[in-house]
């Protein structure tokens, strides 16, 4: 069974990587799909985010990286995926994610959303938290892979 793990991944964190790793043990193939969202102003280009995710998942042979625009369910159907994989951290995630899962179900009834609970050590972790810390030169190497941390500091013009 193929699962799509859609998201912004701007940038990828250890929280995302935990979901990808555990997802890759549950499904035959996991496609990490970076959403090109024209209404968001990202820190990294889609190409850069793909490169970062590819680098961090090179040890997982059944993980593929891609990007998409438009509806996630349309993309999932195109890829013959039956599952949308999402991570859940806190209660506020749940409200948003449940609404999205229900909406997607009305659009493509045959596609299921599967939630994985965050690893408890990453329940506070988001791409935004990482960016907030990094822009003031704070420590982020416990939150994102080293190469990604270097990219972030470089983008903010911070020398480490
Ligand atoms: P989006 O803009 O779609 O929310 P994100 O890149 O922020 O994109 O997140 C993609 C998915 O990863 C979402 O399902 C989100 O809940 C999940 N996620 C993000 N951070 C973590 C984390 N620390 N632990 C578990 N899941 C996470």
């Amino acid at each position: 069974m193929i699962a799509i793990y859609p998201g912004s991944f701007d940038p990828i964190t250890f929280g995302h990587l935990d979901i990808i790793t555990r997802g890759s043990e549950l499904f035959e193939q996991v496609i990490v799909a970076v959403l090109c969202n024209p209404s968001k102003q990202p820190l990294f280009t889609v190409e850069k985010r793909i490169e970062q995710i590819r680098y961090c998942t090179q040890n997982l042979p059944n993980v593929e990286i891609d990007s998409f625009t438009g509806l996630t369910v349309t993309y999932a159907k195109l890829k013959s995926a039956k599952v949308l994989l999402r991570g859940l951290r806190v209660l506020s995630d749940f409200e948003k994610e449940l609404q999205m899962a229900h909406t997607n179900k009305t659009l493509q009834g045959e596609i299921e959303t599967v939630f994985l609970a965050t690893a408890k050590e990453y329940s506070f972790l988001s791409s935004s938290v990482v960016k907030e810390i990094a822009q003031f030169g704070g420590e982020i190497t416990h939150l994102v892979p080293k190469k990604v941390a270097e990219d972030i500091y470089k983008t903010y013009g911070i020398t480490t």
Side-chain angles (χ1 to χ4, degrees), residues 36-71:
C36 307
N37 185 349
S39 63
K40 271 193 185 172
Q41 191 59 52
L43 183 65
F44 294 110
T45 62
V46 169
E47 293 72 28
K48 186 71 189 173
R49 282 179 264 162
I50 289 177
E51 182 195 308
Q52 290 165 336
I53 302 167
R54 193 163 282 142
Y55 179 82
C56 301
T57 58
Q58 55 191 322
N59 59 324
L60 301 170
N62 61 338
V63 172
E64 190 185 298
I65 327 295
D66 196 9
S67 64
F68 73 106
T69 47
L71 294 175

PDB file of all heavy atoms in Angstrom, residues 36-71:
ATOM      1  N   CYS A  36       3.362  22.861  -3.044  1.00  0.00           N
ATOM      2  CA  CYS A  36       3.689  24.193  -3.570  1.00  0.00           C
ATOM      3  C   CYS A  36       2.469  25.055  -3.313  1.00  0.00           C
ATOM      4  O   CYS A  36       1.463  24.920  -4.008  1.00  0.00           O
ATOM      5  CB  CYS A  36       3.917  24.159  -5.079  1.00  0.00           C
ATOM      6  SG  CYS A  36       5.095  22.956  -5.624  1.00  0.00           S
ATOM      7  N   ASN A  37       2.562  25.885  -2.297  1.00  0.00           N
ATOM      8  CA  ASN A  37       1.423  26.722  -1.931  1.00  0.00           C
ATOM      9  C   ASN A  37       1.737  28.177  -2.263  1.00  0.00           C
ATOM     10  O   ASN A  37       2.477  28.841  -1.545  1.00  0.00           O
ATOM     11  CB  ASN A  37       1.131  26.547  -0.434  1.00  0.00           C
ATOM     12  CG  ASN A  37      -0.105  27.278   0.007  1.00  0.00           C
ATOM     13  OD1 ASN A  37      -0.652  28.091  -0.747  1.00  0.00           O
ATOM     14  ND2 ASN A  37      -0.556  26.999   1.212  1.00  0.00           N
ATOM     15  N   PRO A  38       1.180  28.701  -3.352  1.00  0.00           N
ATOM     16  CA  PRO A  38       1.526  30.060  -3.794  1.00  0.00           C
ATOM     17  C   PRO A  38       1.130  31.142  -2.783  1.00  0.00           C
ATOM     18  O   PRO A  38       1.686  32.235  -2.805  1.00  0.00           O
ATOM     19  CB  PRO A  38       0.743  30.235  -5.093  1.00  0.00           C
ATOM     20  CG  PRO A  38       0.035  28.960  -5.352  1.00  0.00           C
ATOM     21  CD  PRO A  38       0.157  28.075  -4.169  1.00  0.00           C
ATOM     22  N   SER A  39       0.200  30.836  -1.868  1.00  0.00           N
ATOM     23  CA  SER A  39      -0.229  31.860  -0.911  1.00  0.00           C
ATOM     24  C   SER A  39       0.674  31.936   0.319  1.00  0.00           C
ATOM     25  O   SER A  39       0.493  32.788   1.180  1.00  0.00           O
ATOM     26  CB  SER A  39      -1.682  31.633  -0.503  1.00  0.00           C
ATOM     27  OG  SER A  39      -1.805  30.412   0.149  1.00  0.00           O
ATOM     28  N   LYS A  40       1.638  31.009   0.431  1.00  0.00           N
ATOM     29  CA  LYS A  40       2.567  31.050   1.570  1.00  0.00           C
ATOM     30  C   LYS A  40       3.921  31.568   1.122  1.00  0.00           C
ATOM     31  O   LYS A  40       4.353  31.314   0.004  1.00  0.00           O
ATOM     32  CB  LYS A  40       2.739  29.639   2.168  1.00  0.00           C
ATOM     33  CG  LYS A  40       1.723  29.304   3.241  1.00  0.00           C
ATOM     34  CD  LYS A  40       2.133  28.050   4.001  1.00  0.00           C
ATOM     35  CE  LYS A  40       1.087  27.620   5.006  1.00  0.00           C
ATOM     36  NZ  LYS A  40       1.406  26.312   5.588  1.00  0.00           N
ATOM     37  N   GLN A  41       4.592  32.311   1.986  1.00  0.00           N
ATOM     38  CA  GLN A  41       5.928  32.820   1.694  1.00  0.00           C
ATOM     39  C   GLN A  41       6.937  31.922   2.422  1.00  0.00           C
ATOM     40  O   GLN A  41       7.205  32.115   3.591  1.00  0.00           O
ATOM     41  CB  GLN A  41       6.017  34.281   2.180  1.00  0.00           C
ATOM     42  CG  GLN A  41       7.252  35.034   1.714  1.00  0.00           C
ATOM     43  CD  GLN A  41       7.372  35.098   0.195  1.00  0.00           C
ATOM     44  OE1 GLN A  41       6.451  35.499  -0.489  1.00  0.00           O
ATOM     45  NE2 GLN A  41       8.506  34.667  -0.347  1.00  0.00           N
ATOM     46  N   PRO A  42       7.487  30.933   1.726  1.00  0.00           N
ATOM     47  CA  PRO A  42       8.346  29.968   2.433  1.00  0.00           C
ATOM     48  C   PRO A  42       9.770  30.479   2.639  1.00  0.00           C
ATOM     49  O   PRO A  42      10.204  31.418   1.964  1.00  0.00           O
ATOM     50  CB  PRO A  42       8.345  28.769   1.494  1.00  0.00           C
ATOM     51  CG  PRO A  42       8.150  29.362   0.145  1.00  0.00           C
ATOM     52  CD  PRO A  42       7.362  30.628   0.309  1.00  0.00           C
ATOM     53  N   LEU A  43      10.487  29.825   3.559  1.00  0.00           N
ATOM     54  CA  LEU A  43      11.905  30.156   3.775  1.00  0.00           C
ATOM     55  C   LEU A  43      12.738  29.522   2.664  1.00  0.00           C
ATOM     56  O   LEU A  43      13.658  30.136   2.144  1.00  0.00           O
ATOM     57  CB  LEU A  43      12.361  29.634   5.152  1.00  0.00           C
ATOM     58  CG  LEU A  43      13.793  29.965   5.550  1.00  0.00           C
ATOM     59  CD1 LEU A  43      13.976  31.480   5.726  1.00  0.00           C
ATOM     60  CD2 LEU A  43      14.173  29.260   6.854  1.00  0.00           C
ATOM     61  N   PHE A  44      12.384  28.279   2.303  1.00  0.00           N
ATOM     62  CA  PHE A  44      13.131  27.555   1.273  1.00  0.00           C
ATOM     63  C   PHE A  44      12.263  27.279   0.043  1.00  0.00           C
ATOM     64  O   PHE A  44      11.057  27.051   0.171  1.00  0.00           O
ATOM     65  CB  PHE A  44      13.641  26.211   1.822  1.00  0.00           C
ATOM     66  CG  PHE A  44      14.672  26.351   2.899  1.00  0.00           C
ATOM     67  CD1 PHE A  44      14.376  26.016   4.214  1.00  0.00           C
ATOM     68  CD2 PHE A  44      15.950  26.831   2.611  1.00  0.00           C
ATOM     69  CE1 PHE A  44      15.327  26.150   5.220  1.00  0.00           C
ATOM     70  CE2 PHE A  44      16.911  26.967   3.610  1.00  0.00           C
ATOM     71  CZ  PHE A  44      16.596  26.632   4.914  1.00  0.00           C
ATOM     72  N   THR A  45      12.900  27.254  -1.129  1.00  0.00           N
ATOM     73  CA  THR A  45      12.175  26.895  -2.347  1.00  0.00           C
ATOM     74  C   THR A  45      11.767  25.423  -2.252  1.00  0.00           C
ATOM     75  O   THR A  45      12.357  24.658  -1.469  1.00  0.00           O
ATOM     76  CB  THR A  45      13.065  27.056  -3.599  1.00  0.00           C
ATOM     77  OG1 THR A  45      14.173  26.149  -3.470  1.00  0.00           O
ATOM     78  CG2 THR A  45      13.573  28.473  -3.755  1.00  0.00           C
ATOM     79  N   VAL A  46      10.813  25.052  -3.070  1.00  0.00           N
ATOM     80  CA  VAL A  46      10.376  23.656  -3.095  1.00  0.00           C
ATOM     81  C   VAL A  46      11.556  22.753  -3.459  1.00  0.00           C
ATOM     82  O   VAL A  46      11.746  21.686  -2.852  1.00  0.00           O
ATOM     83  CB  VAL A  46       9.203  23.483  -4.095  1.00  0.00           C
ATOM     84  CG1 VAL A  46       8.907  22.016  -4.339  1.00  0.00           C
ATOM     85  CG2 VAL A  46       7.962  24.184  -3.578  1.00  0.00           C
ATOM     86  N   GLU A  47      12.368  23.198  -4.416  1.00  0.00           N
ATOM     87  CA  GLU A  47      13.529  22.395  -4.863  1.00  0.00           C
ATOM     88  C   GLU A  47      14.494  22.156  -3.701  1.00  0.00           C
ATOM     89  O   GLU A  47      14.987  21.046  -3.515  1.00  0.00           O
ATOM     90  CB  GLU A  47      14.278  23.095  -6.003  1.00  0.00           C
ATOM     91  CG  GLU A  47      13.507  23.201  -7.305  1.00  0.00           C
ATOM     92  CD  GLU A  47      12.350  24.211  -7.266  1.00  0.00           C
ATOM     93  OE1 GLU A  47      12.441  25.191  -6.492  1.00  0.00           O
ATOM     94  OE2 GLU A  47      11.358  24.005  -7.984  1.00  0.00           O
ATOM     95  N   LYS A  48      14.733  23.199  -2.916  1.00  0.00           N
ATOM     96  CA  LYS A  48      15.649  23.080  -1.775  1.00  0.00           C
ATOM     97  C   LYS A  48      15.062  22.130  -0.722  1.00  0.00           C
ATOM     98  O   LYS A  48      15.771  21.305  -0.141  1.00  0.00           O
ATOM     99  CB  LYS A  48      15.908  24.464  -1.163  1.00  0.00           C
ATOM    100  CG  LYS A  48      16.955  24.475  -0.081  1.00  0.00           C
ATOM    101  CD  LYS A  48      18.353  24.262  -0.648  1.00  0.00           C
ATOM    102  CE  LYS A  48      19.379  24.043   0.435  1.00  0.00           C
ATOM    103  NZ  LYS A  48      20.687  23.669  -0.126  1.00  0.00           N
ATOM    104  N   ARG A  49      13.757  22.264  -0.477  1.00  0.00           N
ATOM    105  CA  ARG A  49      13.113  21.396   0.518  1.00  0.00           C
ATOM    106  C   ARG A  49      13.184  19.938   0.081  1.00  0.00           C
ATOM    107  O   ARG A  49      13.433  19.041   0.890  1.00  0.00           O
ATOM    108  CB  ARG A  49      11.656  21.826   0.729  1.00  0.00           C
ATOM    109  CG  ARG A  49      11.552  23.059   1.628  1.00  0.00           C
ATOM    110  CD  ARG A  49      10.122  23.465   1.807  1.00  0.00           C
ATOM    111  NE  ARG A  49       9.735  24.515   0.876  1.00  0.00           N
ATOM    112  CZ  ARG A  49       8.479  24.840   0.570  1.00  0.00           C
ATOM    113  NH1 ARG A  49       7.479  24.162   1.085  1.00  0.00           N
ATOM    114  NH2 ARG A  49       8.223  25.823  -0.260  1.00  0.00           N
ATOM    115  N   ILE A  50      12.982  19.704  -1.220  1.00  0.00           N
ATOM    116  CA  ILE A  50      13.077  18.335  -1.751  1.00  0.00           C
ATOM    117  C   ILE A  50      14.494  17.799  -1.539  1.00  0.00           C
ATOM    118  O   ILE A  50      14.682  16.668  -1.079  1.00  0.00           O
ATOM    119  CB  ILE A  50      12.675  18.302  -3.250  1.00  0.00           C
ATOM    120  CG1 ILE A  50      11.168  18.516  -3.377  1.00  0.00           C
ATOM    121  CG2 ILE A  50      13.109  16.998  -3.915  1.00  0.00           C
ATOM    122  CD1 ILE A  50      10.662  18.584  -4.810  1.00  0.00           C
ATOM    123  N   GLU A  51      15.472  18.635  -1.840  1.00  0.00           N
ATOM    124  CA  GLU A  51      16.881  18.233  -1.679  1.00  0.00           C
ATOM    125  C   GLU A  51      17.172  17.884  -0.206  1.00  0.00           C
ATOM    126  O   GLU A  51      17.815  16.874   0.088  1.00  0.00           O
ATOM    127  CB  GLU A  51      17.751  19.412  -2.138  1.00  0.00           C
ATOM    128  CG  GLU A  51      19.246  19.183  -2.088  1.00  0.00           C
ATOM    129  CD  GLU A  51      20.006  20.515  -2.212  1.00  0.00           C
ATOM    130  OE1 GLU A  51      19.727  21.273  -3.158  1.00  0.00           O
ATOM    131  OE2 GLU A  51      20.853  20.781  -1.338  1.00  0.00           O
ATOM    132  N   GLN A  52      16.669  18.698   0.714  1.00  0.00           N
ATOM    133  CA  GLN A  52      16.890  18.447   2.145  1.00  0.00           C
ATOM    134  C   GLN A  52      16.240  17.132   2.580  1.00  0.00           C
ATOM    135  O   GLN A  52      16.856  16.317   3.281  1.00  0.00           O
ATOM    136  CB  GLN A  52      16.301  19.597   2.986  1.00  0.00           C
ATOM    137  CG  GLN A  52      17.060  20.904   2.852  1.00  0.00           C
ATOM    138  CD  GLN A  52      16.285  22.104   3.392  1.00  0.00           C
ATOM    139  OE1 GLN A  52      15.046  22.083   3.476  1.00  0.00           O
ATOM    140  NE2 GLN A  52      16.999  23.155   3.747  1.00  0.00           N
ATOM    141  N   ILE A  53      15.000  16.918   2.136  1.00  0.00           N
ATOM    142  CA  ILE A  53      14.284  15.699   2.546  1.00  0.00           C
ATOM    143  C   ILE A  53      14.977  14.473   1.943  1.00  0.00           C
ATOM    144  O   ILE A  53      15.155  13.451   2.610  1.00  0.00           O
ATOM    145  CB  ILE A  53      12.789  15.745   2.131  1.00  0.00           C
ATOM    146  CG1 ILE A  53      12.096  16.958   2.739  1.00  0.00           C
ATOM    147  CG2 ILE A  53      12.083  14.463   2.543  1.00  0.00           C
ATOM    148  CD1 ILE A  53      10.723  17.260   2.158  1.00  0.00           C
ATOM    149  N   ARG A  54      15.390  14.604   0.691  1.00  0.00           N
ATOM    150  CA  ARG A  54      16.067  13.482   0.020  1.00  0.00           C
ATOM    151  C   ARG A  54      17.340  13.096   0.777  1.00  0.00           C
ATOM    152  O   ARG A  54      17.596  11.927   1.027  1.00  0.00           O
ATOM    153  CB  ARG A  54      16.378  13.870  -1.429  1.00  0.00           C
ATOM    154  CG  ARG A  54      16.775  12.698  -2.276  1.00  0.00           C
ATOM    155  CD  ARG A  54      16.672  12.987  -3.757  1.00  0.00           C
ATOM    156  NE  ARG A  54      15.308  12.939  -4.264  1.00  0.00           N
ATOM    157  CZ  ARG A  54      14.823  13.759  -5.188  1.00  0.00           C
ATOM    158  NH1 ARG A  54      15.575  14.691  -5.720  1.00  0.00           N
ATOM    159  NH2 ARG A  54      13.578  13.634  -5.605  1.00  0.00           N
ATOM    160  N   TYR A  55      18.080  14.091   1.171  1.00  0.00           N
ATOM    161  CA  TYR A  55      19.332  13.862   1.887  1.00  0.00           C
ATOM    162  C   TYR A  55      19.066  13.142   3.228  1.00  0.00           C
ATOM    163  O   TYR A  55      19.785  12.226   3.612  1.00  0.00           O
ATOM    164  CB  TYR A  55      20.030  15.208   2.140  1.00  0.00           C
ATOM    165  CG  TYR A  55      21.324  15.080   2.886  1.00  0.00           C
ATOM    166  CD1 TYR A  55      22.503  14.750   2.216  1.00  0.00           C
ATOM    167  CD2 TYR A  55      21.375  15.260   4.273  1.00  0.00           C
ATOM    168  CE1 TYR A  55      23.694  14.610   2.904  1.00  0.00           C
ATOM    169  CE2 TYR A  55      22.568  15.125   4.965  1.00  0.00           C
ATOM    170  CZ  TYR A  55      23.720  14.801   4.281  1.00  0.00           C
ATOM    171  OH  TYR A  55      24.897  14.653   4.973  1.00  0.00           O
ATOM    172  N   CYS A  56      18.009  13.580   3.916  1.00  0.00           N
ATOM    173  CA  CYS A  56      17.721  13.034   5.253  1.00  0.00           C
ATOM    174  C   CYS A  56      17.053  11.663   5.227  1.00  0.00           C
ATOM    175  O   CYS A  56      16.946  11.015   6.270  1.00  0.00           O
ATOM    176  CB  CYS A  56      16.797  13.981   6.019  1.00  0.00           C
ATOM    177  SG  CYS A  56      17.461  15.607   6.229  1.00  0.00           S
ATOM    178  N   THR A  57      16.552  11.251   4.060  1.00  0.00           N
ATOM    179  CA  THR A  57      15.833   9.963   4.003  1.00  0.00           C
ATOM    180  C   THR A  57      16.548   8.951   3.122  1.00  0.00           C
ATOM    181  O   THR A  57      15.955   7.950   2.724  1.00  0.00           O
ATOM    182  CB  THR A  57      14.386  10.164   3.475  1.00  0.00           C
ATOM    183  OG1 THR A  57      14.450  10.769   2.174  1.00  0.00           O
ATOM    184  CG2 THR A  57      13.548  11.026   4.399  1.00  0.00           C
ATOM    185  N   GLN A  58      17.819   9.224   2.811  1.00  0.00           N
ATOM    186  CA  GLN A  58      18.531   8.342   1.875  1.00  0.00           C
ATOM    187  C   GLN A  58      18.710   6.923   2.420  1.00  0.00           C
ATOM    188  O   GLN A  58      18.949   5.993   1.654  1.00  0.00           O
ATOM    189  CB  GLN A  58      19.866   8.960   1.459  1.00  0.00           C
ATOM    190  CG  GLN A  58      20.781   9.334   2.590  1.00  0.00           C
ATOM    191  CD  GLN A  58      21.958  10.177   2.101  1.00  0.00           C
ATOM    192  OE1 GLN A  58      22.473   9.948   1.043  1.00  0.00           O
ATOM    193  NE2 GLN A  58      22.369  11.154   2.886  1.00  0.00           N
ATOM    194  N   ASN A  59      18.550   6.755   3.730  1.00  0.00           N
ATOM    195  CA  ASN A  59      18.665   5.423   4.343  1.00  0.00           C
ATOM    196  C   ASN A  59      17.349   4.642   4.277  1.00  0.00           C
ATOM    197  O   ASN A  59      17.290   3.499   4.733  1.00  0.00           O
ATOM    198  CB  ASN A  59      19.109   5.559   5.805  1.00  0.00           C
ATOM    199  CG  ASN A  59      18.134   6.394   6.624  1.00  0.00           C
ATOM    200  OD1 ASN A  59      17.557   7.368   6.121  1.00  0.00           O
ATOM    201  ND2 ASN A  59      17.914   6.025   7.867  1.00  0.00           N
ATOM    202  N   LEU A  60      16.299   5.270   3.724  1.00  0.00           N
ATOM    203  CA  LEU A  60      14.979   4.611   3.680  1.00  0.00           C
ATOM    204  C   LEU A  60      14.609   4.323   2.218  1.00  0.00           C
ATOM    205  O   LEU A  60      14.133   5.215   1.508  1.00  0.00           O
ATOM    206  CB  LEU A  60      13.921   5.512   4.326  1.00  0.00           C
ATOM    207  CG  LEU A  60      14.163   5.910   5.785  1.00  0.00           C
ATOM    208  CD1 LEU A  60      13.184   6.997   6.222  1.00  0.00           C
ATOM    209  CD2 LEU A  60      14.056   4.693   6.708  1.00  0.00           C
ATOM    210  N   PRO A  61      14.847   3.085   1.745  1.00  0.00           N
ATOM    211  CA  PRO A  61      14.671   2.783   0.323  1.00  0.00           C
ATOM    212  C   PRO A  61      13.237   2.883  -0.196  1.00  0.00           C
ATOM    213  O   PRO A  61      13.031   3.103  -1.391  1.00  0.00           O
ATOM    214  CB  PRO A  61      15.194   1.345   0.189  1.00  0.00           C
ATOM    215  CG  PRO A  61      15.241   0.789   1.565  1.00  0.00           C
ATOM    216  CD  PRO A  61      15.361   1.938   2.516  1.00  0.00           C
ATOM    217  N   ASN A  62      12.248   2.747   0.683  1.00  0.00           N
ATOM    218  CA  ASN A  62      10.862   2.821   0.191  1.00  0.00           C
ATOM    219  C   ASN A  62      10.237   4.213   0.375  1.00  0.00           C
ATOM    220  O   ASN A  62       9.012   4.351   0.383  1.00  0.00           O
ATOM    221  CB  ASN A  62       9.984   1.738   0.835  1.00  0.00           C
ATOM    222  CG  ASN A  62       9.907   1.873   2.347  1.00  0.00           C
ATOM    223  OD1 ASN A  62      10.774   2.468   2.968  1.00  0.00           O
ATOM    224  ND2 ASN A  62       8.859   1.326   2.939  1.00  0.00           N
ATOM    225  N   VAL A  63      11.084   5.213   0.540  1.00  0.00           N
ATOM    226  CA  VAL A  63      10.595   6.589   0.651  1.00  0.00           C
ATOM    227  C   VAL A  63      10.994   7.369  -0.596  1.00  0.00           C
ATOM    228  O   VAL A  63      12.148   7.364  -0.999  1.00  0.00           O
ATOM    229  CB  VAL A  63      11.154   7.274   1.929  1.00  0.00           C
ATOM    230  CG1 VAL A  63      10.807   8.762   1.943  1.00  0.00           C
ATOM    231  CG2 VAL A  63      10.611   6.593   3.170  1.00  0.00           C
ATOM    232  N   GLU A  64       9.972   7.996  -1.183  1.00  0.00           N
ATOM    233  CA  GLU A  64      10.182   8.782  -2.407  1.00  0.00           C
ATOM    234  C   GLU A  64       9.815  10.234  -2.097  1.00  0.00           C
ATOM    235  O   GLU A  64       8.953  10.475  -1.248  1.00  0.00           O
ATOM    236  CB  GLU A  64       9.232   8.203  -3.461  1.00  0.00           C
ATOM    237  CG  GLU A  64       9.428   8.702  -4.866  1.00  0.00           C
ATOM    238  CD  GLU A  64       8.334   8.147  -5.783  1.00  0.00           C
ATOM    239  OE1 GLU A  64       8.258   6.899  -5.928  1.00  0.00           O
ATOM    240  OE2 GLU A  64       7.563   8.942  -6.319  1.00  0.00           O
ATOM    241  N   ILE A  65      10.451  11.177  -2.773  1.00  0.00           N
ATOM    242  CA  ILE A  65      10.153  12.594  -2.517  1.00  0.00           C
ATOM    243  C   ILE A  65       9.612  13.211  -3.799  1.00  0.00           C
ATOM    244  O   ILE A  65      10.128  12.931  -4.887  1.00  0.00           O
ATOM    245  CB  ILE A  65      11.419  13.396  -2.097  1.00  0.00           C
ATOM    246  CG1 ILE A  65      12.406  12.554  -1.293  1.00  0.00           C
ATOM    247  CG2 ILE A  65      11.053  14.681  -1.378  1.00  0.00           C
ATOM    248  CD1 ILE A  65      11.956  12.071   0.028  1.00  0.00           C
ATOM    249  N   ASP A  66       8.599  14.041  -3.632  1.00  0.00           N
ATOM    250  CA  ASP A  66       7.979  14.659  -4.804  1.00  0.00           C
ATOM    251  C   ASP A  66       7.382  16.010  -4.369  1.00  0.00           C
ATOM    252  O   ASP A  66       7.401  16.347  -3.181  1.00  0.00           O
ATOM    253  CB  ASP A  66       6.889  13.716  -5.344  1.00  0.00           C
ATOM    254  CG  ASP A  66       6.442  14.054  -6.759  1.00  0.00           C
ATOM    255  OD1 ASP A  66       7.077  14.904  -7.414  1.00  0.00           O
ATOM    256  OD2 ASP A  66       5.428  13.485  -7.200  1.00  0.00           O
ATOM    257  N   SER A  67       6.851  16.745  -5.319  1.00  0.00           N
ATOM    258  CA  SER A  67       6.107  17.964  -4.970  1.00  0.00           C
ATOM    259  C   SER A  67       4.792  17.951  -5.737  1.00  0.00           C
ATOM    260  O   SER A  67       4.653  17.209  -6.716  1.00  0.00           O
ATOM    261  CB  SER A  67       6.922  19.203  -5.331  1.00  0.00           C
ATOM    262  OG  SER A  67       7.103  19.256  -6.717  1.00  0.00           O
ATOM    263  N   PHE A  68       3.853  18.754  -5.273  1.00  0.00           N
ATOM    264  CA  PHE A  68       2.566  18.806  -5.978  1.00  0.00           C
ATOM    265  C   PHE A  68       1.901  20.160  -5.736  1.00  0.00           C
ATOM    266  O   PHE A  68       2.237  20.861  -4.789  1.00  0.00           O
ATOM    267  CB  PHE A  68       1.642  17.659  -5.531  1.00  0.00           C
ATOM    268  CG  PHE A  68       1.056  17.824  -4.150  1.00  0.00           C
ATOM    269  CD1 PHE A  68      -0.277  18.169  -3.968  1.00  0.00           C
ATOM    270  CD2 PHE A  68       1.846  17.646  -3.017  1.00  0.00           C
ATOM    271  CE1 PHE A  68      -0.821  18.324  -2.693  1.00  0.00           C
ATOM    272  CE2 PHE A  68       1.318  17.799  -1.738  1.00  0.00           C
ATOM    273  CZ  PHE A  68      -0.008  18.137  -1.580  1.00  0.00           C
ATOM    274  N   THR A  69       0.958  20.463  -6.623  1.00  0.00           N
ATOM    275  CA  THR A  69       0.120  21.651  -6.417  1.00  0.00           C
ATOM    276  C   THR A  69      -1.329  21.168  -6.447  1.00  0.00           C
ATOM    277  O   THR A  69      -1.612  20.085  -6.960  1.00  0.00           O
ATOM    278  CB  THR A  69       0.297  22.694  -7.548  1.00  0.00           C
ATOM    279  OG1 THR A  69       0.220  22.009  -8.797  1.00  0.00           O
ATOM    280  CG2 THR A  69       1.600  23.421  -7.458  1.00  0.00           C
ATOM    281  N   GLY A  70      -2.199  21.954  -5.911  1.00  0.00           N
ATOM    282  CA  GLY A  70      -3.625  21.613  -5.977  1.00  0.00           C
ATOM    283  C   GLY A  70      -4.044  20.711  -4.833  1.00  0.00           C
ATOM    284  O   GLY A  70      -3.390  20.653  -3.788  1.00  0.00           O
ATOM    285  N   LEU A  71      -5.106  19.972  -5.081  1.00  0.00           N
ATOM    286  CA  LEU A  71      -5.695  19.162  -4.016  1.00  0.00           C
ATOM    287  C   LEU A  71      -4.853  17.917  -3.727  1.00  0.00           C
ATOM    288  O   LEU A  71      -4.421  17.213  -4.653  1.00  0.00           O
ATOM    289  CB  LEU A  71      -7.108  18.720  -4.413  1.00  0.00           C
ATOM    290  CG  LEU A  71      -8.159  19.822  -4.543  1.00  0.00           C
ATOM    291  CD1 LEU A  71      -9.476  19.240  -5.062  1.00  0.00           C
ATOM    292  CD2 LEU A  71      -8.389  20.514  -3.197  1.00  0.00           C
TER     293      LEU A  71
END
